[in-house]
Amino acid sequence: MMYERVTSALGNRPKEIGHPEMRKRQHDFYSELPTDSVAIITNNPSGIRSADVQHRHRFNSYLHYLTGWSEEDGVAVFHQSAGDWKCRLYVRPRDVKMETWTGRRPGLEGALSGWPVDETVSRGDITDNLSKLLDGVENVYHIHGLDGNVDEIVDSVLHEKPIDPRAILDEMRVLKSGSEVELMQYAADLAAYAHVEAMRECKSGMGEWHMQSIIEGCFLFHESEWSYPSIVGSGDNATILHYNENNDIMKDGDLVLIDAGCEIDGYASDITRTFPINGKFTDAQRTIYELVLKAQLAGIEACQAGSPWSAMHDATSRVLAQGLIDLGILDCTFEESLGDDFDGLYRQFFMHGTGHFLGLDVHDVGGGRQGDDKPERVLTPGMVLTIEPGLYFGAWREDIDINPKWAGIGVRIEDDILITESGPVVLTAKCPKEITEIEALVGSN
Ligand SMILES: [Mn+2]
């Protein structure tokens, strides 16, 4: 079996987040809520794929974070009763007839005994039950737009807008615990090994979808799934940032860029590797690859506890801007290339950010720059972020004028980084990125 090598390299899968840790999260949440408040956390809606076929449902990350509950229609409500905080979960009751069609349900008793919650109420009773609970409460926390029924209940009781609980929960989620890091390390390992299997199998003439099937098959084989739609872009397709048609034949002499990651107990990994389809970089490809790798290593080095969020983007940008000038791709000064606020000429070829937080969401909550009204974040031990600079010279782009030898080259290199007191830890280190390693691996099966 193709994935045995991955299975044995992975070792034991870490346990899912336990109830004591979720109880601690609930208590941390309570401690940030004013007296006389109720906080409502709903699940994500399901979406129609086609007629009566639904997209696979994925739980809401906040609901999962606080309760571990995933079943659709679940709503958690945090409220005070006789001075104590309680977590009340609205769930669908057992219904054998329905369950024979749509699957088993824990029901009210099952939810109470199997999840870290204090009370369960039938979802069918939510309108009356929740309205009563909200009546006269001063501070109601709720995220609008996920559960229409709950939105209606909240709107009918409140005279003003509910308070967004994300301001509190995002601060909690941005710092990862030891058990969260273990899960993220495993997700990083699985994705790293999956990328390696794709490199081994890669041959000219194969389809981009073959690479996708190897990687996503590896995820599924290990009881995981993609954390975002996989990108497999060969040749010019690599220069389109969110390309995911993955339906071209991979041509001899081209590069292929693969951006794919998986999810373990909801925690994401996010890896990009770029390699030559025939296993050997051309001089031009090698030159661009080496420059992006140099920028990526500088970005990782800038991931020091105490540094501002923007330090890593500044680091990658400076390397790329200088490199573009040295290669004659940009004919300007270093200052002109960078611009006043890193918005200069180099942005024609590196048009995205250097990284993002990673966690229960692939573009995780907490936002590094935090908008205009807040200072940017300071890197703190326990944060996990990606470092993913790239350079893109689309031959199809009419807006750029470059030497044809660079046309059709798109390179991005992305790793997942844990901030620690003693420096950055590369969670995705098992995925090779040095040129010699890549050339030895590609097509070696
Ligand atoms: Mn990413």
Side-chain angles (χ1 to χ4, degrees), residues 375-392:
E376 66 173 306
R377 284 194 185 273
V378 172
L379 297 183
T380 307
M383 288 178 174
V384 179
L385 64 151
T386 66
I387 294 291
E388 49 177 311
L391 285 175
Y392 312 92

Side-chain angles (χ1 to χ4, degrees), residues 55 58 195 212-213 215-216 219 225-233 240-246 257-263 268-272 362-363 412 414:
H55 281 292
R58 202 286 196 168
H195 275 259
Q212 181 185 358
S213 73
I215 287 176
E216 293 182 7
F219 294 163
E225 58 188 305
W226 50 257
S227 50
Y228 56 94
S230 307
I231 296 169
V232 183
I240 297 166
L241 299 180
H242 289 163
Y243 173 84
N244 60 13
E245 286 91 341
N246 304 348
L257 180 156
I258 303 182
D259 186 345
C262 62
E263 213 174 82
S269 55
D270 184 1
I271 300 180
T272 309
V362 66
H363 294 159
R412 178 164 68 255
E414 174 176 33

Side-chain angles (χ1 to χ4, degrees), residues 12-218:
N12 290 334
R13 184 180 178 121
K15 285 198 178 61
E16 296 185 348
I17 300 294
H19 291 188
E21 184 160 349
M22 282 188 219
R23 285 296 193 182
K24 182 181 180 301
R25 293 167 175 177
Q26 291 173 8
H27 284 286
D28 290 347
F29 184 37
Y30 300 153
S31 72
E32 297 294 326
L33 295 172
T35 47
D36 198 14
S37 30
V38 168
I40 306 164
I41 304 291
T42 66
N43 212 336
N44 288 341
S46 42
I48 294 170
R49 182 175 186 278
S50 126
D52 62 349
V53 177
Q54 305 273 314
H55 281 292
R56 185 168 155 76
H57 183 261
R58 202 286 196 168
F59 49 73
N60 177 276
S61 295
Y62 296 102
L63 182 65
H64 186 75
Y65 182 78
L66 289 168
T67 68
W69 189 256
S70 52
E71 195 181 272
E72 286 177 67
D73 296 341
V75 179
V77 173
F78 303 92
H79 69 102
Q80 280 160 307
S81 168
D84 285 331
W85 281 99
K86 302 282 183 197
C87 173
R88 176 178 297 181
L89 192 65
Y90 294 88
V91 299
R92 294 182 297 189
R94 294 290 318 275
D95 180 339
V96 174
K97 259 191 191 154
M98 281 308 295
E99 287 176 54
T100 59
W101 286 89
T102 58
R104 293 188 186 90
R105 302 174 180 176
L108 274 68
E109 294 79 21
L112 200 54
S113 58
W115 276 261
V117 300
D118 305 301
E119 307 162 338
T120 52
V121 174
S122 171
R123 170 74 206 228
D125 297 333
I126 194 169
T127 305
D128 280 352
N129 188 279
L130 182 56
S131 300
K132 277 203 195 95
L133 195 66
L134 295 177
D135 189 39
V137 171
E138 195 162 341
N139 307 290
V140 174
Y141 291 77
H142 171 61
I143 304 168
H144 247 274
L146 297 173
D147 187 317
N149 175 213
V150 176
D151 289 351
E152 272 176 35
I153 297 167
V154 170
D155 291 346
S156 72
V157 176
L158 290 199
H159 304 294
E160 54 211 28
K161 274 190 175 171
I163 310 164
D164 195 328
R166 285 175 286 198
I168 298 169
L169 294 169
D170 291 357
E171 291 307 311
M172 294 165 56
R173 282 177 54 188
V174 90
L175 295 177
K176 272 67 180 178
S177 70
S179 40
E180 287 180 295
V181 169
E182 273 183 48
L183 288 161
M184 294 189 75
Q185 179 66 74
Y186 191 85
D189 288 347
L190 175 54
Y193 295 136
H195 275 259
V196 167
E197 290 306 313
M199 287 183 202
R200 284 184 206 274
E201 296 294 329
C202 186
K203 303 257 170 19
S204 308
M206 287 173 74
E208 293 168 345
W209 63 94
H210 292 142
M211 298 285 100
Q212 181 185 358
S213 73
I214 292 165
I215 287 176
E216 293 182 7
C218 189

Side-chain angles (χ1 to χ4, degrees), residues 317-318 320-322 324-325 329-349:
S317 294
R318 285 173 195 283
L320 293 177
Q322 187 61 54
L324 290 168
I325 293 167
I329 294 171
L330 286 180
D331 182 18
C332 63
T333 66
F334 183 62
E335 287 69 27
E336 285 165 341
S337 173
L338 272 185
D340 290 334
D341 190 22
F342 296 89
D343 56 355
L345 294 169
Y346 84 112
R347 293 297 277 171
Q348 299 171 89
F349 311 111

